[in-house]
Amino acid sequence: MVQTVNLDSQNFFKCIESSKTKQLVKEMAEVGAKADIPGTPAFFINGKMLSGTSNNLISFLNYIYDYID
């Protein structure tokens, strides 16, 4: 994936392996757990959570459309 989007692979892997990045991910996971968010992706539409969307974009967009005022 790194090559597909032409990222600097050395900087990318340096970033994801850094203790600062690992701490940030840990903190974000704790915030999500406290908010009862089971995982990613998680979206809130008019107060209703949609989590773990399928790969079907049309289904996801229909879900959003159903809940937009």
Side-chain angles (χ1 to χ4, degrees), residues 2-40:
V2 171
Q3 292 173 342
T4 302
V5 295
N6 294 322
L7 290 178
D8 179 333
S9 62
Q10 185 176 13
N11 283 335
F12 175 78
F13 290 109
K14 182 179 176 182
C15 176
I16 65 171
E17 291 297 323
S18 78
S19 60
K20 183 177 178 181
T21 300
K22 289 178 182 181
Q23 182 61 33
L24 179 60
V25 170
K26 180 180 176 185
E27 290 170 8
M28 292 170 62
E30 290 171 358
V31 169
K34 287 178 185 175
D36 291 327
I37 299 171
T40 59

Side-chain angles (χ1 to χ4, degrees), residues 44-48 66-69:
F44 290 86
I45 302 166
N46 288 348
K48 296 185 184 228
D66 288 343
Y67 289 96
I68 293 177
D69 290 332

